[in-house]
Amino acid sequence: MTVTHVLSLAVRFLDHFSGRPVPQELPVRLSGNHARPVRRPDGLGARQADGSYRFLGAEPGTRRILWRDPFQRSQSGWIRWEAADPEVTLPLATPAQMIEHELWPTAGAEVAPGTTGVRGQLRGADAAGLEIRIARQGRPFDRMTRSDAAGEFLFLPPGALPLDASGRVPLTIEARIPGGAIRPILSGSFLPATAGADFAGPNFTILPQTVARVIFALA
């Protein structure tokens, strides 16, 4: 007798900055009966080779897709800015169609050697929970993150980042109240100071293939 398992859901969590699947295995499960995804062929985990988590024979109904341990705001250096976990209503019309949700690296997340980015901290009143956007100078903002309770954030601009005449990456930053006004950046400084000169306003430069530690003063 042949036992057939029917695919109910395929879900994948993506790095907001790179667009690639989150490389760490997450404790993904469904709310309600806490159904867990099928394990991959080697039996060593549930994250498949394409970064997906696949559920077989899941019960019908609306389920939250849980991706972190209970009572945790983040998991394995990743965070989701929406307060609620993503939801799905089963059965799906097309179960094989991948459902994707974005995660962001936390302020203290580890990064691969040779990465270019900014590990920043906002200083000033009401520095927590601001939307942060950074782009190469002269380019539009196309990625965002948020500052945490300490005003800290990690930003990893994707794609090629051409250098200026001094061999540094010219960047600009915007801090904004979610859904509201811009919080002007007055100035910034590097830690250590040898990583770059102090600057005024939102424009600054960093060394390529480094994650610069930068302190930004809010107006």
Side-chain angles (χ1 to χ4, degrees), residues 50-134:
D50 62 356
S52 68
Y53 300 84
R54 297 175 178 269
F55 293 84
L56 303 180
E59 295 180 359
T62 299
R63 302 281 183 265
R64 287 181 295 124
I65 303 173
L66 309 175
W67 61 275
R68 53 198 167 187
D69 291 331
F71 311 112
Q72 299 297 315
R73 182 73 181 96
S74 62
Q75 183 79 35
S76 303
W78 297 93
I79 194 166
R80 186 170 182 270
W81 295 122
E82 293 82 354
D85 290 314
E87 287 189 344
V88 63
T89 299
L90 303 173
L92 297 174
T94 312
Q97 183 173 339
M98 190 75 68
I99 294 176
E100 295 178 326
H101 295 283
E102 289 185 324
L103 298 180
W104 281 256
T106 61
E110 295 184 5
V111 298
T115 300
T116 301
V118 177
R119 200 180 296 275
Q121 183 179 28
L122 303 176
R123 291 188 178 173
D126 302 318
L130 297 182
E131 291 183 352
I132 306 299
R133 293 174 174 82
I134 294 177

Side-chain angles (χ1 to χ4, degrees), residues 193-210:
T194 53
D198 292 356
F199 56 92
N203 295 333
F204 62 105
T205 65
I206 64 173
L207 291 170
Q209 298 184 329
T210 63

Side-chain angles (χ1 to χ4, degrees), residues 176-194:
R176 182 184 292 271
I177 299 169
I182 290 176
R183 292 287 307 278
I185 301 294
L186 290 179
S187 61
S189 59
F190 289 85
L191 292 176
T194 53

